[in-house]
Every structure is written in C-alpha cells, then in structure tokens.
C-alpha cells in the first residue's frame, strides 16, 4: 500500500472532512432566503403586479438568478476558497458556455424567423 491509500480523517486536498461544510445557522439562513426568494415572485404573479408579462418574466428571472447564487453559497458551499478555486473556475466556465449557447441559439432563431417569414397575402397577390 502506498502512502496515499490512507487518509486518516483528511480528504485528498489536505482539509479536514468537515471544514468546508456549513453550520446549522448557515443552512437556516439559506433556507429562509430560498423561501423568501420563492414567495416574492409567487406573490408578484398571483397579484398581477406588473401589467406587462415580459416585465413579470424579467423580474422572476432576476429572482431566480439570486436564488441560484443563494443555493450555491449556502447549500453547495461554493466560494473562491473551495477546492483551491477550481470549483469556482469550473462554474464560471460553465456559465460562459451556457450564456454563449443560449445567446447564439436565440440569435439564430430570431434571424431564421425574420428571414424565413412567409409573404403577406397582399404581396402574394401581386406576384406574376
């Protein structure tokens, strides 16, 4: 057996097993924030607070983004110190790929829709 086969209560990165885990207080804060960040958009939709559905969608997306951050910090314990910063770099890379993919897909779909729209009826009647 090599020296790496025995961990003696430590993980592979030299940290104690429970050093990066949150306390009951941090889990409670995360839970309360999650409930609040779910209840507010629900109340906004049920109360029909905004006249425009696009405004409502943008507000809900903003609350969703904040809730993602709350979950990552309080439940997944992601920060710049976790795993020597590699988990944060992996997250940033993943977010960049998702943004590029979504933006590119929306751009392509918009231009396909714009360029491939059928002609209006009055233009079709004028064709020889």
């Amino acid at each position: 057996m090599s020296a790496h086969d025995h961990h003696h209560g430590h993980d592979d990165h030299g940290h104690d097993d429970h050093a990066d885990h949150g306390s009951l207080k941090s889990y409670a804060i995360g839970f309360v924030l999650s409930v609040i960040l779910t209840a507010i958009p629900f109340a906004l939709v049920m109360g029909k607070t905004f006249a425009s559905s696009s405004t409502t969608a943008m507000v809900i997306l903003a609350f969703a983004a904040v809730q993602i951050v709350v979950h990552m910090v309080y439940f997944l314990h992601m920060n710049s110190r976790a795993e020597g910063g590699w988990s944060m770099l992996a997250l940033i890379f993943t977010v960049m790929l998702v943004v590029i993919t979504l933006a590119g897909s929306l751009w392509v779909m918009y231009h396909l829709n714009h360029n491939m729209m059928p002609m209006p009826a009055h233009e079709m009647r004028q064709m020889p």
Side-chain angles (χ1 to χ4, degrees):
M1 293 187 136
S2 70
H4 296 288
D5 291 338
H6 299 285
H7 293 146
H8 300 293
H10 292 19
D11 62 9
D12 291 336
H13 303 288
H15 300 293
D16 290 331
D17 286 338
H18 301 287
D20 292 333
H21 295 291
S23 63
L24 181 61
K25 179 181 175 184
S26 72
Y27 283 122
I29 291 170
F31 176 74
V32 169
L33 287 173
S34 296
V35 169
I36 291 169
L37 292 170
T38 301
I40 291 172
F42 182 78
L44 292 175
V45 170
M46 294 306 289
K48 297 182 179 159
T49 306
F50 301 107
S52 170
S53 61
S54 61
T55 303
T56 303
M58 289 298 143
V59 170
I60 290 173
L61 286 174
F63 274 100
V66 172
Q67 192 168 45
I68 288 170
V69 172
V70 166
H71 281 260
M72 288 186 335
V73 169
Y74 287 99
F75 299 120
L76 298 177
H77 312 292
M78 290 187 74
N79 56 36
S80 59
R81 298 181 315 261
E83 302 291 330
W86 285 109
S87 61
M88 188 60 68
L89 285 175
L91 173 70
I92 291 168
F93 180 68
T94 303
V95 168
M96 283 182 9
L97 285 178
V98 168
V99 168
I100 289 169
T101 303
L102 289 176
S105 298
L106 291 173
W107 182 73
V108 167
M109 287 188 283
Y110 170 79
H111 286 286
L112 281 174
N113 187 38
H114 180 73
N115 293 329
M116 302 298 282
M117 287 294 293
M119 283 190 270
H122 70 277
E123 286 182 18
M124 289 179 78
R125 280 184 249 135
Q126 294 173 356
M127 288 181 67

